[in-house]
Amino acid sequence: MKGWIHVHSHTDPPERLLDYGEWTLRVGSGERKAHRVIEGRPHGDRLVARLAQIDDRDAAAALTGAWVEVERSRLPPPGRREHYQADLIGLDVQNLEGVALGTVAHFVDAPGGAVMVVKEPSGREHWVLATREYLRKVDIAAGSILVDWPVELE
C-alpha cells in the first residue's frame, strides 16, 4: 500500500539490506534505477520497504520481479573462508576424488542453507550444500572449488 514494496533479502541477517541507504533496482528489461531507502522493516519472512519516488501501489507493482543491487564497494569484505555467491558463479568444481562436477551455475536458498547448483556440460546438475563442511577449498584466482561431495550421493 502507498508504495511499500515486499523484498526477499539474501543478506545475513536479512534486515542488513536495509542498512544500505540506496538500492539500485534492476527490472526484467535490464534497466537499472537508483532509489533511496526511506524506511523499512522485517515483515514475516521478507522485508517491506518504502523507497523515494515510489509513491503509490502502481509504482510499487511496476517493480515486481526486480532485483535489488548494492554497489560492491559498499559491501563489507568477506571474512576468512567466506565468499560472495556472485564470486563463485562460473568457477569449476571438482570433488575430493578428482571428479570434475562442472561449473557453478547459481545458488538456491534452502531451509538448511545455500545450495550451490553445479552444471556439467551435458546439463546434469549436482546440488552441493554450500557450507564449510563441503566447500573444502575455494581458489577464485585459479577459478576452482574443491568440494567434499561424492557423486554417489546423487
Side-chain angles (χ1 to χ4, degrees):
M1 301 294 283
K2 297 187 179 182
W4 284 77
I5 61 171
H6 288 265
V7 180
H8 290 277
S9 175
H10 298 282
T11 60
D12 183 22
E15 57 273 12
R16 182 173 291 156
L17 183 62
L18 297 170
D19 294 343
Y20 301 103
E22 185 172 282
W23 296 344
T24 298
L25 299 182
R26 180 173 41 93
V27 295
S29 67
E31 178 186 355
R32 290 177 164 90
K33 185 170 182 184
H35 291 275
R36 186 173 50 83
V37 179
I38 297 172
E39 60 183 312
R41 66 181 181 277
H43 183 76
D45 64 344
R46 298 186 251 179
L47 303 173
V48 290
R50 192 163 61 94
L51 306 177
Q53 304 166 343
I54 306 299
D55 299 325
D56 60 35
R57 172 181 239 146
D58 293 336
L63 298 174
T64 299
W67 284 89
V68 175
E69 298 176 343
V70 175
E71 288 183 39
R72 179 66 180 250
S73 63
R74 297 185 63 213
L75 300 176
R80 184 179 165 330
R81 292 199 68 199
E82 292 181 339
H83 306 279
Y84 284 111
Q85 292 178 359
D87 295 338
L88 304 182
I89 294 173
L91 298 186
D92 294 322
V93 179
Q94 183 177 33
N95 71 11
L96 294 175
E97 290 78 35
V99 176
L101 300 179
T103 60
V104 179
H106 62 276
F107 287 82
V108 173
D109 289 319
V115 176
M116 186 170 62
V117 180
V118 180
K119 283 193 178 182
E120 294 181 4
S122 68
R124 180 178 178 205
E125 293 181 347
H126 303 275
W127 287 46
V128 179
L129 293 172
T131 64
R132 289 179 185 215
E133 179 181 354
Y134 299 106
L135 297 182
R136 292 301 178 94
K137 182 178 180 185
V138 175
D139 188 338
I140 292 177
S144 65
I145 301 174
L146 180 65
V147 297
D148 185 1
W149 196 261
V151 175
E152 297 83 39
L153 287 177
E154 301 167 16

